[in-house]
Amino acid sequence: MRKQPLQQRSRDMVATLLDAASRVIVERGLDNFTTNHVAEAAGVSVGSLYQYFDDKDALIEALMQRDTVQLLVVVDARLRALIDADARSITQGILEAVFDVVEGDPCKRELMRHWDRLRTRSTLRALEQHMMEACRLYLMRHHEDYRVDNLPAALFVAINSLHYTVAHYLSLENPVLQRAEIIGALSDMLAAYIGAGTKKKAARRRPSSVKQQRS
């Protein structure tokens, strides 16, 4: 963003521009999205728009960042509600919330269709960091159930696998698989991956216990 909105008037202008950008994306699609269209929809001059955004890519990036904040509010609420559930149930619940948010918003759906060619690095990085911290807190709460040898590596792999699969699926025009199939498969995968360390440690302890029983 070219100019940080410090005063309320500036923040209102940015919000107006982002709301207008969202409407233009829904009406015209991302390929026909221009700053002139946004300025017209917002009822301001294009010069006023350029006070805050360098170009349409910067505008889209800011819109995605705002959408991410809104999405994380929903994710955090679902996480709090399911904090005592097992790994599969909480993963399924969070994924269902994510799909509900994206599928219920035409602008978010259009952005997801083109996520691989947009400026998504900062947005995905912020999402990754937030989810890594949320998962870390969950696993600390359930440390007796899930023993992970290398927690940072496990979380990095698990979260980025979920992010890419969900983003790729939501970008498809006519997916072969149903939403429930994707959510179910991802929930199974994450639960098995997080639980693998616990099973390995249990297997290591088993021979010694058998030896003691024989003696």
Side-chain angles (χ1 to χ4, degrees), residues 4-197:
Q4 291 299 321
L6 300 179
Q7 299 181 351
Q8 186 61 48
R9 181 178 178 181
S10 296
R11 291 196 291 270
D12 290 343
M13 173 62 77
V14 169
T16 297
L17 290 170
L18 293 179
D19 289 341
S22 179
R23 294 196 301 274
V24 171
I25 288 173
V26 173
E27 293 168 2
R28 296 178 176 271
L30 200 60
D31 289 332
N32 298 313
F33 175 86
T34 69
T35 52
N36 285 329
H37 292 145
V38 174
E40 181 181 359
V44 301
S45 68
V46 72
S48 297
L49 183 152
Y50 285 132
Q51 290 182 19
Y52 298 94
F53 301 101
D54 292 324
D55 50 31
K56 69 175 186 178
D57 291 333
L59 191 57
I60 292 171
E61 185 177 15
L63 185 59
M64 292 179 65
Q65 290 172 349
R66 187 177 74 168
D67 287 348
T68 299
V69 171
Q70 296 171 349
L71 178 63
L72 289 176
V73 170
V74 175
V75 168
D76 286 346
R78 187 62 60 92
L79 180 65
R80 288 192 299 270
L82 297 172
I83 192 65
D84 292 321
D86 60 86
R88 189 192 186 286
S89 297
I90 196 169
T91 302
Q92 180 176 342
I94 289 175
L95 288 175
E96 287 174 349
V98 170
F99 274 75
D100 286 343
V101 169
V102 175
E103 292 177 341
D105 187 323
C107 179
K108 290 182 177 64
R109 290 204 309 272
E110 177 67 9
L111 291 175
M112 288 302 298
R113 290 192 188 101
H114 303 279
W115 72 273
D116 55 337
R117 66 182 177 89
L118 299 176
R119 293 181 187 173
T120 57
R121 175 170 293 184
S122 62
T123 301
L124 290 177
R125 181 59 178 164
L127 186 60
E128 176 192 30
Q129 290 178 333
H130 189 98
M131 292 305 301
M132 286 188 74
E133 179 60 18
C135 290
R136 188 184 68 83
L137 293 175
Y138 171 82
L139 290 173
M140 287 178 61
R141 185 181 182 94
H142 296 268
H143 65 277
E144 292 295 335
D145 300 316
Y146 303 105
R147 306 294 181 88
V148 181
D149 291 330
N150 189 336
L151 184 58
L155 291 181
F156 180 86
V157 170
I159 291 170
N160 282 283
S161 296
L162 293 180
H163 284 178
Y164 176 79
T165 304
V166 170
H168 178 62
Y169 178 79
L170 289 172
S171 71
L172 299 175
E173 290 288 346
N174 298 298
V176 176
L177 298 173
Q178 298 296 314
R179 159 181 160 162
E181 294 179 282
I182 293 296
I183 292 177
L186 286 174
S187 300
D188 288 340
M189 180 195 73
L190 185 63
Y193 181 54
I194 295 299

Side-chain angles (χ1 to χ4, degrees), residues 200-214:
K200 284 192 294 186
K201 290 182 180 181
R204 293 192 196 107
R205 292 194 298 267
R206 198 172 297 124
S208 61
S209 62
V210 171
K211 185 176 180 180
Q212 291 174 1
Q213 289 177 0
R214 288 178 179 174

